[in-house]
Amino acid sequence: MAEYRNEADVNDVYTRKSSSGGRIILAIVLIAAVVVGLLFATGFWSANVKEGALPTVKMSAKGGALPDVNVKSKELVVGTKSTTVDVPKVETRKATIDVPVIGVKGGDAK
């Protein structure tokens, strides 16, 4: 944006907005695409397109094998044995105790 000031009146500021260059480039590309399309449509330009194919490639592969590994390890033994341990005894019994109660007194509550 450019600002131009009038020497006679310092408070007047004139602002000129310039257009962006991206719009100009887009317009040029669109015009070029339309011209190329018209040249192909009228037959002025033509394109000879021949059928093509991918090249044939001969491949062979030999199956792999896992590496030979000789591992020496200890043997893991799993089982049970009888042992005496202290086990706590838990028992329940009935007893009468006072517990807090909440209620509403009076009124026609049903």
Side-chain angles (χ1 to χ4, degrees):
M1 224 188 283
E3 294 182 355
Y4 300 100
R5 296 182 187 266
N6 188 355
E7 294 296 330
D9 190 6
V10 178
N11 294 329
D12 291 340
V13 176
Y14 300 101
T15 304
R16 186 192 75 154
K17 294 182 182 179
S18 60
S19 63
S20 65
R23 290 183 185 175
I24 295 171
I25 293 173
L26 179 64
I28 292 171
V29 169
L30 287 176
I31 290 170
V34 169
V35 169
V36 169
L38 287 173
L39 291 174
F40 274 110
T42 59
F44 190 77
W45 280 358
S46 64
N48 277 338
V49 179
K50 297 178 183 176
E51 285 190 26
L54 293 174
T56 56
V57 178
K58 294 181 182 179
M59 288 182 48
S60 66
K62 185 178 178 183
L66 293 175
D68 291 332
V69 179
N70 188 6
V71 178
K72 294 179 182 176
S73 173
K74 304 245 180 199
E75 184 179 348
L76 182 64
V77 179
V78 179
T80 60
K81 70 177 185 174
S82 297
T83 304
T84 303
V85 294
D86 292 333
V87 178
K89 183 176 181 182
V90 178
E91 61 180 56
T92 59
R93 60 183 175 89
K94 294 199 182 245
T96 304
I97 59 171
D98 291 331
V99 294
V101 179
I102 299 174
V104 178
K105 197 177 212 183
D108 292 332
K110 292 184 181 183

